[in-house]
């Protein structure tokens, strides 16, 4: 015997149903923008990392080529991994602050305003 309501709230008890927010055009735009930035960048970084690993394993002669003094290509690629990691994090934080955060704040403000209106009606 099922005693659950037909449409249970997707949030904590007493909170609003967030499925309507998730299906809103603003949230869809935010999600598309985020995915169109993060997914290609993640794929590119993974390919870059795997290139480093594969070259290290299977192209020892190339990776052992001296660049300056005792510094070889493998060392340069290894340092480049750290540099690209920090550059990606810096780039993401800038893009998020410019593009994603304002949209997320607008959605949050709309939700808080709607919650406040609901609270005033219930009181």
């Amino acid at each position: 015997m099922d005693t659950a309501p037909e449409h249970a709230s997707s949030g904590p008890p007493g909170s609003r149903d967030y499925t309507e927010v998730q299906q809103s055009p603003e949230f869809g735009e935010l999600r598309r923008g985020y995915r169109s930035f993060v997914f290609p960048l993640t794929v590119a970084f993974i390919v870059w990392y795997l290139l480093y690993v594969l070259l290290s394993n299977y192209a020892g002669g190339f990776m052992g080529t001296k660049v300056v003094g005792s510094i070889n290509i493998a060392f340069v690629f290894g340092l480049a991994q750290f540099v690209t990691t920090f550059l990606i994090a810096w780039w993401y934080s800038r893009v998020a602050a410019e593009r994603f955060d304002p949209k997320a704040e607008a959605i949050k403000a709309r939700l808080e305003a709607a919650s406040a209106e609901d609270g005033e009606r219930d009181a």
Side-chain angles (χ1 to χ4, degrees), residues 38-99:
V38 171
F39 287 165
L41 200 55
T42 301
V43 169
F45 184 78
I46 289 172
V47 167
W48 162 235
Y49 175 75
L50 290 176
L51 174 69
Y52 173 62
V53 171
L54 292 172
L55 286 174
S56 295
N57 282 321
Y58 300 110
F62 170 71
M63 295 296 273
T65 303
K66 303 284 184 199
V67 177
V68 176
S70 62
I71 296 174
N72 59 19
I73 291 177
F75 185 74
V76 172
F77 270 42
L79 286 178
Q81 292 290 317
F82 285 103
V83 171
T84 54
T85 299
F86 289 110
L87 284 174
I88 288 169
W90 171 79
W91 188 21
Y92 173 78
S93 69
R94 288 187 52 119
V95 170
E98 292 171 7
R99 281 197 252 164

Side-chain angles (χ1 to χ4, degrees), residues 88-120:
I88 288 169
W90 171 79
W91 188 21
Y92 173 78
S93 69
R94 288 187 52 119
V95 170
E98 292 171 7
R99 281 197 252 164
F100 307 140
D101 293 349
K103 291 177 184 177
E105 285 297 323
I107 293 169
K108 178 183 172 190
R110 192 182 82 226
L111 279 173
E112 289 174 346
S115 292
E117 286 176 11
D118 291 346
E120 288 175 8

